[in-house]
Amino acid sequence: MLFIRKIAFLLAIILISSIGQGYSESEPLLYPYGPSEGDRTTPVDDDGASDNVPISVAFKFFSKEYKSLYVNNNGVISFKTAVSQYTPDAFPLTHGETFVTPFWGDVNNELSGNVYYRESTDDNLLKMITKDMEKHLPSQHFTAKWAFVATWDKVAYFGSKSHKVNTFQAALTTDGFRYFIILNYGDIQWTTGEASGGNPLTGLEGLPAQAGFNSGDNTHYFNIPGSRTAEVLKIKSTSNVNYPGRWIFRVDDFQVPGGCLFKSSFAKEGEEFWTDSTCTTKCLCKASGDVPCADESCSASAACVPSGSFFKCKEKEKVCF
């Protein structure tokens, strides 16, 4: 399999030109990154990862503290071991897999892009994070004291025969008491590598990328709406803090601001949804975080269709004769 992937890479490299890497003012949603910020890079290697990276602050994730991590080319930050797997599995994964997945898919930075990372107590970066937290979650009164930023900059997908690239970022931060992860999404142009069933010309179809968190048990996990579906292509337009392209989570005592958790999937405050493809149980995300549900079906003029992590009743198109 490795030999076949390498041959495919050699053929694809003829068809794709390298695109410049580094922080861009056209992507102000992302925190500054690149060589000018002192970032390190992961190996330029299909399915590669950083070495084990010690961090000076023990980061608390689902009540456990971690003093090192791995930055994986395939869109994962992991706390126990490197992750070379390129086709994402559905959460929960229950054999101790502990990681953050801003965009778990088949990245190939041999074709295009870099994966940057750094630990930082730089005052300018911490002020940016503090300002954003005050804007999005003012009730937290959060002042950042430490951060770890990983950025996947203009990365291509395995088997690419296009110029499509993705840019996304994960920032871990703490004030010494509470621990948050901020996920920022720049331009997202593809969802799937060829080895995951994707179309090499479009980077779509097949089994798309996963975004969210997994603690390694069957209880503590989270899927960002659209994960492992074609809808993940639109992740830049989604948010739980009313700021498209940004998701913020408290991860020591897991909380998802801006909505409710229903079976580890997110619903916005005030959102009505049906729980499955039968559309026979309708639920409401209340401001209190409660999710009352009741038996209710679609009308005869509506069809039950997927909507993010849930389902909705959509009026059928009328056919005129």
Side-chain angles (χ1 to χ4, degrees), residues 4-33:
I4 294 173
R5 288 168 67 86
K6 292 298 183 183
I7 292 297
F9 158 68
L10 292 173
L11 293 173
I13 197 69
I14 299 172
L15 299 171
I16 186 169
S17 61
S18 178
I19 299 174
Q21 291 82 34
Y23 173 66
S24 169
E25 292 297 333
S26 66
E27 296 170 334
L29 184 75
L30 278 67
Y31 299 118
Y33 63 88

Side-chain angles (χ1 to χ4, degrees), residues 49-255:
S50 70
D51 293 330
N52 185 255
V53 181
I55 51 178
S56 61
V57 170
F59 192 79
K60 188 176 289 187
F61 184 68
F62 289 103
S63 301
K64 294 182 180 180
E65 292 187 346
Y66 298 94
K67 296 184 178 180
S68 65
L69 50 77
Y70 297 83
V71 180
N72 303 276
N73 288 356
N74 287 335
V76 178
I77 294 176
S78 52
F79 291 101
K80 291 184 177 180
T81 186
V83 178
S84 60
Q85 183 174 334
Y86 51 85
T87 300
D89 288 328
F91 290 169
L93 306 178
T94 59
H95 298 288
E97 302 92 335
T98 306
F99 43 64
V100 180
T101 59
F103 203 86
W104 184 13
D106 197 358
V107 168
N108 189 348
N109 65 342
E110 293 177 314
L111 292 177
S112 175
N114 279 313
V115 183
Y116 295 106
Y117 64 92
R118 74 184 182 280
E119 179 182 19
S120 181
T121 54
D122 175 73
D123 191 53
N124 289 331
L125 174 63
L126 297 180
K127 283 181 178 178
M128 290 180 190
I129 293 173
T130 299
K131 182 179 178 181
D132 284 340
M133 291 292 290
E134 180 64 26
K135 175 171 60 179
H136 301 310
L137 301 174
S139 64
Q140 294 288 332
H141 304 291
F142 180 88
T143 301
K145 300 296 184 183
W146 173 92
F148 185 94
V149 179
T151 308
W152 289 257
D153 178 52
K154 300 180 180 66
V155 290
Y157 56 93
F158 177 77
S160 174
K161 295 182 181 178
S162 76
H163 294 283
K164 290 186 174 183
V165 292
N166 287 352
T167 297
F168 52 93
Q169 183 180 75
L172 287 59
T173 187
T174 181
D175 61 359
F177 304 97
R178 294 161 296 172
Y179 298 78
F180 286 85
I181 291 179
I182 303 171
L183 302 183
N184 295 322
Y185 294 93
D187 199 14
I188 302 297
Q189 301 177 354
W190 62 265
T191 66
T192 321
E194 184 180 21
S196 302
N199 184 324
L201 296 175
T202 65
L204 306 176
E205 305 171 23
L207 186 56
Q210 165 79 49
F213 301 88
N214 195 78
S215 72
D217 61 33
N218 62 1
T219 304
H220 302 100
Y221 63 98
F222 179 77
N223 296 300
I224 289 181
S227 290
R228 296 178 86 245
T229 77
E231 292 297 303
V232 78
L233 185 67
K234 302 175 183 177
I235 198 167
K236 187 180 178 181
S237 64
T238 68
S239 176
N240 67 322
V241 291
N242 198 32
Y243 197 78
R246 174 168 287 160
W247 288 76
I248 301 179
F249 309 85
R250 183 173 174 181
V251 294
D252 55 310
D253 177 22
F254 192 63
Q255 298 174 13

Side-chain angles (χ1 to χ4, degrees), residues 259-280:
C260 309
L261 283 180
F262 183 83
K263 297 182 179 179
S264 297
S265 291
F266 178 76
K268 288 185 178 181
E269 183 179 317
E271 179 182 356
E272 294 181 329
F273 60 91
W274 278 260
T275 59
D276 59 40
S277 59
T278 66
C279 279
T280 54

Side-chain angles (χ1 to χ4, degrees), residues 259-262 266-275 281-296 310-311:
C260 309
L261 283 180
F262 183 83
F266 178 76
K268 288 185 178 181
E269 183 179 317
E271 179 182 356
E272 294 181 329
F273 60 91
W274 278 260
T275 59
T281 302
K282 184 180 180 181
C283 303
L284 170 66
C285 171
K286 303 181 72 172
S288 63
D290 294 331
V291 187
C293 299
D295 293 340
E296 184 175 334
F310 304 108
F311 293 82

